[in-house]
Amino acid sequence: METTTALVVGAGPAGLALACGLRQHGVAVRVIDRAAGPASTSRANILHARGVEVLNRLGALGDLPDRALHAVRMTFHVGEKPLATVSFGQIEGNQLSALLLSQAEVEAVLRERLAELGGTVEWGRELAGLDQRPDGVTAELRDGSLSADYVVGCDGAHSAVRKLSGIGFPGVPLVDQWLLADVRADWPLDRTGSSGWFHRDGLFFAMPMRNGADDAWRLMADVRAGDADDVLDRLRELLPERTGRTDAKIRDVAWTSTFRIHRRLADRYRDGRVLLVGDAAHIHSPFGGQGMNTGIGDAENLAWKLALVVQRRADPALLDTYQAERRPLAEDVLRSTTANTKIMLADGAVARFARDRLVTPLANLGVVQRRATWLASQLWVSYRKGPLGSRRGPRPRPGDRVPDLACRGDRGPTRLHAELGGKWVLLAPPGTSLEVLAPLGEHVVRLAPDRPQRDVWLIRPDAHLAWRGTDLHSLARWLDNALGNGRTT
């Protein structure tokens, strides 16, 4: 029987990010996917700042910033009249911005990074069964069996891992049907941003695609269930009806799809030695572009915890903090995207008036746009309310994200996030002993802050503050509690 330490089921952004994170920590991992090969098309086409950060820490950002559109914005219209332009600008001293690009491109750079780390994707391998034992899991595949210490389901909304584990996925549909098509079109529309139109019968969106061509567009519209026998023909009809424009000519199509918007959240993220990540654990409206961002964030949070457990440096109970930290965020994302969807769809004349005349024009205000950028970025995410965090003390508090600070290392000036890839960072004066961090193994780096600080900070591999203080004995006690008495070093 084939064996591995961690089996990742699903080679989308979340699964690939998890596999890269585990390999950074030296964990043996196998990635399987039922598809015959990589996808060349995708629904997700925006990566917000949090996702950009994670890819950077994984060493997987590559040349994506050079290929993507940075100044992501959406102009909303009623007919030919623009109502507002929402811009997702740069933040934190212009270090970070959202990137408009295809999910397929993100997956490609993650696969390249996984190969550099000694991993690969095994295509055409479908999961058919799971059998948990006290010491591992047997995964029954269509072409054989594979034994793993842990199995992680990153296999999307219809997750086989979730279903085979008996984990509930309650929720409701929000919208009957959406039409989607990637086309090439002659259309004198501004390609420096996306456009959306409000119409009494529904919405219509046009987003420029960054595939090297200046005539590639993604078109989307909502319709009643069963209202489209042919997606492209229906979009051709809806384009002039909902936009009021007759100057677009769709020449050919790369692909089309239909989908329903659901709001669903897994009952739990862990069942013994089986865990869920990304869309396998939560699905929601695409408004706001949070799906890929949230899944990649799940993966980074789980990677360092699972690495400590399989290396017997932490008790398996540490894995429960994954759900404790990430599920509340998914609840927030579900609430916000559902609210945004209801505002956008505006059921009824009164709701449409409020959307068009009251709510949407507010998006022209700078303060509203800065707030929207910050919320979409997910840089605000904090785990201070979780079991590894703290609600007391000066900021940043344990559980808070630590920005990409300027630091000094053994080789000179550096930045915090550049050193975090698969590592813990002790931010402390030069000469501070690392002996207290021996339970974490070799994945520890000591850096000195550029600006003097009174206390010592221990920063997790996912850039969240683990501990701060002046007494290293207190840090040792924190590690003992966080990793659990059951660990073996």
Side-chain angles (χ1 to χ4, degrees), residues 42-225:
S42 57
R43 291 177 185 166
N45 66 344
I46 187 170
L47 188 68
H48 285 289
R50 178 70 178 231
V52 174
E53 265 198 350
V54 176
L55 292 189
N56 189 40
R57 286 192 288 270
L58 291 174
L61 191 57
D63 64 346
L64 289 182
D66 297 327
R67 286 191 265 153
L69 175 67
H70 287 256
V72 180
R73 70 176 186 233
M74 171 75 74
T75 300
F76 293 99
H77 308 76
V78 170
E80 296 189 21
K81 178 183 178 181
L83 298 179
T85 297
V86 181
S87 296
F88 295 100
Q90 296 178 315
I91 48 183
E92 291 200 349
N94 297 333
Q95 291 184 57
L96 290 167
S97 65
L99 304 179
L100 183 66
L101 76 172
S102 167
Q103 176 181 319
E105 294 181 272
V106 174
E107 292 174 359
V109 296
L110 282 166
R111 286 194 303 273
E112 292 173 5
R113 178 56 175 155
L114 181 59
E116 292 173 356
L117 293 167
T120 187
V121 177
E122 302 171 33
W123 299 106
R125 306 204 73 184
E126 183 177 356
L127 181 69
L130 287 175
D131 180 23
Q132 285 208 56
R133 310 180 309 275
D135 61 344
V137 185
T138 298
E140 298 294 341
L141 310 181
R142 299 296 182 189
D143 59 349
S145 300
L146 199 157
S147 178
D149 292 341
Y150 285 87
V151 172
V152 186
C154 307
D155 47 345
H158 302 288
S159 170
V161 173
R162 187 188 64 241
K163 294 173 182 176
L164 291 169
S165 300
I167 297 174
F169 200 44
V172 295
L174 297 178
V175 181
D176 280 344
Q177 188 175 24
W178 277 85
L179 310 181
L180 182 153
D182 286 349
V183 305
R184 300 187 71 172
D186 297 323
W187 196 358
L189 194 65
D190 182 11
R191 288 184 59 84
T192 62
S194 300
S195 298
W197 288 266
F198 297 138
H199 187 270
R200 65 179 179 276
D201 295 330
L203 307 174
F204 195 95
F205 293 100
M207 292 153 276
M209 297 297 289
R210 301 294 156 180
N211 65 353
D214 60 2
D215 59 355
W217 295 89
R218 168 161 294 179
L219 307 181
M220 292 176 58
D222 63 304
V223 296
R224 294 186 300 274

Side-chain angles (χ1 to χ4, degrees), residues 289-310:
Q290 296 298 297
M292 184 160 54
N293 229 38
T294 307
I296 289 174
D298 288 348
E300 187 182 39
N301 184 284
L302 178 59
W304 65 266
K305 297 174 180 177
L306 185 55
L308 286 172
V309 170
V310 299

